[in-house]
Amino acid sequence: MGPDSMDSPTCLQKGACLPLGGQSVWSIAGKPDTRPKILIATGMDALTDFYEDRGDSYNAGVRVSVLLAIANALSSVELSNATSQVVIAFFEGENWGRLGSRSFVSDLQNFHCLQELSREDSPIN
Protein backbone atom coordinates (compact mmCIF):
# COMPACT_ATOMS: atom_id res chain seq x y z
CA MET A 1 0.00 0.00 0.00
CA GLY A 2 2.85 2.35 0.66
CA PRO A 3 5.25 3.23 3.45
CA ASP A 4 4.87 1.62 6.88
CA SER A 5 3.24 4.80 8.18
CA MET A 6 0.40 4.50 5.62
CA ASP A 7 -2.79 2.95 7.00
CA SER A 8 -5.87 1.92 5.02
CA PRO A 9 -8.12 4.94 5.79
CA THR A 10 -5.33 7.40 4.87
CA CYS A 11 -4.49 5.49 1.71
CA LEU A 12 -8.14 5.51 0.61
CA GLN A 13 -8.59 9.22 1.43
CA LYS A 14 -5.56 10.11 -0.69
CA GLY A 15 -6.73 7.88 -3.53
CA ALA A 16 -3.39 6.06 -3.39
CA CYS A 17 -4.74 2.50 -3.32
CA LEU A 18 -7.55 0.33 -4.55
CA PRO A 19 -9.85 -1.14 -1.89
CA LEU A 20 -10.77 -4.35 -3.71
CA GLY A 21 -9.34 -7.82 -3.67
CA GLY A 22 -10.78 -11.29 -3.79
CA GLN A 23 -13.20 -12.95 -6.14
CA SER A 24 -16.95 -12.83 -6.59
CA VAL A 25 -18.64 -16.24 -6.85
CA TRP A 26 -21.81 -17.27 -8.62
CA SER A 27 -23.58 -20.48 -9.59
CA ILE A 28 -26.67 -21.46 -11.51
CA ALA A 29 -29.05 -24.17 -10.29
CA GLY A 30 -29.01 -26.99 -12.82
CA LYS A 31 -27.75 -26.94 -16.38
CA PRO A 32 -27.91 -23.47 -18.00
CA ASP A 33 -30.76 -23.11 -20.47
CA THR A 34 -32.90 -20.43 -22.13
CA ARG A 35 -35.33 -19.88 -19.24
CA PRO A 36 -35.36 -16.43 -17.60
CA LYS A 37 -33.00 -16.16 -14.63
CA ILE A 38 -33.75 -15.07 -11.07
CA LEU A 39 -30.65 -13.65 -9.37
CA ILE A 40 -30.38 -13.92 -5.59
CA ALA A 41 -27.23 -12.10 -4.51
CA THR A 42 -25.45 -10.48 -1.61
CA GLY A 43 -22.22 -8.67 -0.90
CA MET A 44 -19.69 -10.70 1.03
CA ASP A 45 -17.25 -7.93 1.89
CA ALA A 46 -17.25 -5.54 4.81
CA LEU A 47 -15.85 -2.11 5.58
CA THR A 48 -14.21 -3.53 8.72
CA ASP A 49 -11.01 -4.14 6.79
CA PHE A 50 -10.59 -0.37 6.41
CA TYR A 51 -12.62 1.18 9.21
CA GLU A 52 -13.41 0.22 12.79
CA ASP A 53 -17.05 -0.62 12.09
CA ARG A 54 -17.60 -4.03 13.69
CA GLY A 55 -21.34 -3.98 12.94
CA ASP A 56 -20.66 -4.08 9.21
CA SER A 57 -18.50 -7.18 9.61
CA TYR A 58 -21.25 -8.99 11.50
CA ASN A 59 -23.81 -7.92 8.90
CA ALA A 60 -21.66 -9.33 6.09
CA GLY A 61 -21.51 -12.66 7.89
CA VAL A 62 -25.27 -12.68 8.38
CA ARG A 63 -25.88 -11.81 4.70
CA VAL A 64 -23.64 -14.65 3.52
CA SER A 65 -25.18 -17.11 6.02
CA VAL A 66 -28.72 -16.25 4.93
CA LEU A 67 -27.90 -16.69 1.25
CA LEU A 68 -26.18 -20.03 1.95
CA ALA A 69 -29.33 -21.14 3.84
CA ILE A 70 -31.49 -20.11 0.86
CA ALA A 71 -29.22 -22.05 -1.52
CA ASN A 72 -29.37 -25.08 0.77
CA ALA A 73 -33.18 -24.92 0.93
CA LEU A 74 -33.43 -24.61 -2.86
CA SER A 75 -31.15 -27.62 -3.31
CA SER A 76 -33.91 -29.87 -1.94
CA VAL A 77 -36.56 -28.53 -4.34
CA GLU A 78 -37.10 -29.91 -7.86
CA LEU A 79 -36.49 -26.87 -10.08
CA SER A 80 -36.26 -28.48 -13.53
CA ASN A 81 -39.93 -27.71 -14.27
CA ALA A 82 -39.83 -24.15 -12.91
CA THR A 83 -40.45 -21.28 -15.32
CA SER A 84 -37.16 -19.59 -14.29
CA GLN A 85 -33.66 -20.67 -13.27
CA VAL A 86 -32.13 -19.51 -10.01
CA VAL A 87 -28.67 -17.92 -9.93
CA ILE A 88 -26.96 -17.45 -6.55
CA ALA A 89 -24.16 -14.86 -6.32
CA PHE A 90 -21.77 -13.55 -3.67
CA PHE A 91 -20.15 -10.30 -4.77
CA GLU A 92 -16.93 -8.66 -3.54
CA GLY A 93 -16.58 -4.88 -3.60
CA GLU A 94 -20.24 -4.03 -2.98
CA ASN A 95 -19.25 -1.52 -0.30
CA TRP A 96 -17.03 0.16 -2.89
CA GLY A 97 -19.45 1.28 -5.58
CA ARG A 98 -20.97 -2.13 -6.26
CA LEU A 99 -17.76 -3.22 -7.99
CA GLY A 100 -18.47 -6.96 -7.89
CA SER A 101 -22.00 -6.79 -9.27
CA ARG A 102 -21.00 -4.16 -11.85
CA SER A 103 -18.20 -6.44 -13.03
CA PHE A 104 -20.67 -9.34 -13.21
CA VAL A 105 -23.08 -7.33 -15.38
CA SER A 106 -20.20 -6.16 -17.58
CA ASP A 107 -19.09 -9.78 -18.05
CA LEU A 108 -22.65 -10.77 -19.00
CA GLN A 109 -22.76 -8.04 -21.62
CA ASN A 110 -19.20 -8.26 -23.01
CA PHE A 111 -17.64 -11.64 -22.15
CA HIS A 112 -16.25 -13.92 -24.81
CA CYS A 113 -14.04 -16.96 -24.41
CA LEU A 114 -10.56 -16.73 -25.85
CA GLN A 115 -10.50 -20.51 -26.22
CA GLU A 116 -13.75 -22.41 -25.98
CA LEU A 117 -13.68 -25.98 -24.72
CA SER A 118 -16.34 -28.64 -24.88
CA ARG A 119 -17.65 -29.75 -21.51
CA GLU A 120 -15.91 -33.10 -21.94
CA ASP A 121 -12.51 -31.42 -22.57
CA SER A 122 -12.78 -29.04 -19.62
CA PRO A 123 -10.54 -29.98 -16.67
CA ILE A 124 -13.38 -29.07 -14.28
CA ASN A 125 -16.19 -30.42 -16.51
Side-chain angles (χ1 to χ4, degrees), residues 28-38 78-87:
I28 192 164
K31 195 174 191 177
D33 58 38
T34 58
R35 291 180 287 172
K37 309 300 183 250
I38 296 173
E78 178 57 46
L79 296 173
S80 61
N81 295 325
T83 57
S84 300
Q85 275 193 297
V86 176
V87 178

Side-chain angles (χ1 to χ4, degrees), residues 32-74:
D33 58 38
T34 58
R35 291 180 287 172
K37 309 300 183 250
I38 296 173
L39 176 65
I40 305 172
T42 190
M44 62 178 170
D45 57 340
L47 294 172
T48 307
D49 292 338
F50 302 99
Y51 302 104
E52 295 181 18
D53 181 0
R54 296 234 184 262
D56 183 62
S57 177
Y58 298 136
N59 290 338
V62 169
R63 291 190 307 264
V64 169
S65 297
V66 168
L67 190 48
L68 286 171
I70 291 169
N72 186 50
L74 288 174

Side-chain angles (χ1 to χ4, degrees), residues 4-123:
D4 290 338
S5 61
M6 179 72 75
D7 61 7
S8 295
T10 304
C11 184
L12 291 170
Q13 285 175 339
K14 290 183 174 187
C17 59
L18 297 174
L20 183 64
Q23 298 285 323
S24 294
V25 179
W26 67 273
S27 181
I28 192 164
K31 195 174 191 177
D33 58 38
T34 58
R35 291 180 287 172
K37 309 300 183 250
I38 296 173
L39 176 65
I40 305 172
T42 190
M44 62 178 170
D45 57 340
L47 294 172
T48 307
D49 292 338
F50 302 99
Y51 302 104
E52 295 181 18
D53 181 0
R54 296 234 184 262
D56 183 62
S57 177
Y58 298 136
N59 290 338
V62 169
R63 291 190 307 264
V64 169
S65 297
V66 168
L67 190 48
L68 286 171
I70 291 169
N72 186 50
L74 288 174
S75 71
S76 64
V77 176
E78 178 57 46
L79 296 173
S80 61
N81 295 325
T83 57
S84 300
Q85 275 193 297
V86 176
V87 178
I88 303 284
F90 299 89
F91 294 124
E92 285 282 8
E94 293 306 282
N95 284 316
W96 305 101
R98 308 275 183 238
L99 294 175
S101 54
R102 286 178 190 232
S103 178
F104 179 76
V105 170
S106 175
D107 283 349
L108 289 176
Q109 295 172 337
N110 305 310
F111 181 80
H112 67 279
C113 288
L114 297 176
Q115 180 181 359
E116 291 193 33
L117 296 174
S118 68
R119 190 173 190 100
E120 295 79 27
D121 292 333
S122 170

